[in-house]
Amino acid sequence: MSTDPSESIFILPDPLADWPWKRNISPHYLQTQAESSAWIRSFNGLPPRVLQALHLGEFGLLASLAYSLESKDVIRAGCDYIILFALFDEYSDVMTPHEVRQLAMMVMDALRNPDKARPAEECVLGEIARQFWQSSLKFASEGARRRFIKGFDEYTTKVVEEAQDRVQDLIRNIDDYILFRRSAVGMKATRVFIEFSLNLPDEFFEHAIIQRLTDTSSDLIWLMNDIYSYNVEQARGENHNIVASLMHHKHIDVNEAMEWVGDYCSKLTRNFLNDLRDVPSFGEELDGQVQHYLNGLAYCVRGNDCWSFETR
């Protein structure tokens, strides 16, 4: 691996150079962002620095870009969810594995029991999770509810593992990291909002082509997140990043690692477009919903990319 000081300057690839879906934003952006911001500021116990980070993150913008095809109610639910996700990430980043496990159990209990009052002495994140899900349930189909709980539970479990990796200063090998990241980035829960208004059967989600399309869109999102956040993360000494894994295990420099990710994203784009052409009909009653779901996946990818360059 080269140690040339000039390599502190690196070139970001364009991971969506061939992605045909363009930027699209919900007309409900400003209203849902204002409502969600007012909601989170109503909670006592959130430090000013956390509130400032939430403000700078502009998560209402992310929801309106990623879920741009959805109704106002779903966009608002998406705003609140992304705030919950960001807070869980913020809290868990500085916790021990045991503390993260306790936090995960608390949040999952709140999500599974949204009508149960939270203990007065509990961390405010429990009540935030409870209120978010209690409100969002009104707009979610039964299948979406079930998949969200399963997906968020898997995500919090992986965050505990990530905390263990952090303590051990472990840099996972590339194949292991890719499999781990699919769950650790929380995409199984995050993408559920594009199916809130749909009633697609489990057989649809279990179809091999649909699973590949779903996984590919998720991979593109976390790969983009990794390359865009790499500089900040390496400055903090964090190793949970595809760029760090590539540099460590392939013994290459940062620009070579970025090029690898760019090439891999191009391959994923080709795979997605090829699979999209092979999606079968699921029947006249479902095909419209199927198209909505697939477009939702595609705009979720583009929306995450746009948000990365439109926020602070």
Side-chain angles (χ1 to χ4, degrees):
M1 183 187 298
S2 171
T3 57
D4 185 342
S6 68
E7 289 175 357
S8 60
I9 299 172
F10 56 86
I11 300 172
L12 288 172
D14 181 357
L16 298 184
D18 301 314
W19 196 250
W21 292 268
K22 305 304 180 185
R23 182 185 188 275
N24 192 44
I25 189 165
S26 168
H28 308 296
Y29 162 44
L30 293 177
Q31 183 179 357
T32 53
Q33 177 170 259
E35 291 174 357
S36 190
S37 178
W39 169 69
I40 197 62
R41 289 183 178 277
S42 71
F43 291 94
N44 296 320
L46 287 173
R49 66 171 183 82
V50 172
L51 289 172
Q52 178 67 2
L54 292 176
H55 173 69
L56 293 175
E58 295 192 57
F59 298 122
L61 175 62
L62 175 55
S64 293
L65 288 167
Y67 309 130
S68 60
L69 303 180
E70 307 309 319
S71 68
K72 175 184 174 294
D73 290 330
V74 176
I75 296 292
R76 169 61 199 279
C79 289
D80 294 352
Y81 163 72
I82 295 170
I83 287 175
L84 170 64
F85 185 94
L87 287 172
F88 188 87
D89 186 62
E90 180 81 14
Y91 277 69
S92 63
D93 267 354
V94 294
M95 287 180 166
T96 66
H98 174 73
E99 290 170 333
V100 177
R101 185 176 294 106
Q102 296 300 114
L103 185 71
M105 290 172 61
M106 177 195 72
V107 169
M108 289 310 305
D109 181 68
L111 293 173
R112 290 190 175 106
N113 302 282
D115 295 322
K116 183 178 78 173
R118 306 307 303 170
E121 70 282 1
E122 184 179 76
C123 169
V124 67
L125 203 55
E127 179 61 11
I128 290 171
R130 187 194 71 79
Q131 287 192 24
F132 147 70
W133 194 231
Q134 184 183 56
S135 174
S136 300
L137 282 171
K138 302 170 187 175
F139 317 111
S141 64
E142 187 278 330
R145 296 178 185 185
R146 179 164 36 85
R147 278 182 283 276
F148 175 82
I149 292 297
K150 182 179 179 181
F152 203 79
D153 187 36
E154 182 177 299
Y155 158 67
T156 59
T157 299
K158 291 298 182 181
V159 175
V160 175
E161 292 183 34
E162 187 173 345
Q164 293 168 338
D165 289 355
R166 192 163 58 239
V167 169
Q168 299 169 10
D169 199 26
L170 175 66
I171 303 178
R172 291 174 180 260
N173 67 54
I174 299 161
D175 290 339
D176 187 28
Y177 180 81
I178 289 174
L179 290 174
F180 178 84
R181 193 74 165 115
R182 282 178 181 166
S183 300
V185 78
M187 280 307 302
K188 289 184 180 180
T190 301
R191 66 170 173 262
V192 165
F193 293 86
I194 67 174
E195 56 163 296
F196 257 39
S197 63
L198 307 179
N199 284 289
L200 292 165
D202 291 343
E203 291 75 18
F204 165 77
F205 294 98
E206 293 164 0
H207 192 284
I209 292 178
I210 301 303
Q211 286 186 344
R212 286 202 303 270
L213 286 164
T214 301
D215 286 344
T216 300
S217 65
S218 297
D219 286 350
L220 281 166
I221 290 171
W222 70 255
L223 283 162
M224 291 187 299
N225 179 271
D226 274 21
I227 60 174
Y228 297 153
S229 63
Y230 168 72
N231 199 37
V232 170
E233 292 178 3
Q234 64 86 22
R236 295 173 180 165
E238 298 174 6
N239 294 319
H240 247 267
N241 190 292
I242 188 63
V243 178
S245 178
L246 286 164
M247 292 173 67
H248 181 78
H249 291 287
K250 285 185 172 289
H251 307 290
I252 57 178
D253 63 40
V254 62
N255 277 299
E256 290 171 318
M258 289 289 178
E259 184 178 2
W260 187 98
V261 176
D263 291 342
Y264 190 55
C265 286
S266 295
K267 176 184 175 182
L268 290 176
T269 295
R270 291 192 298 272
N271 291 346
F272 188 92
L273 296 175
N274 288 336
D275 277 335
L276 198 61
R277 285 189 282 267
D278 293 333
V279 173
S281 171
F282 287 86
E284 187 176 344
E285 293 183 0
L286 293 180
D287 281 348
Q289 295 188 60
V290 170
Q291 191 61 45
H292 183 99
Y293 176 80
L294 297 175
N295 280 327
L297 290 180
Y299 281 115
C300 197
V301 173
R302 175 60 73 183
N304 273 269
D305 183 64
C306 291
W307 172 78
S308 296
F309 292 96
E310 295 178 31
T311 188
R312 290 166 285 180

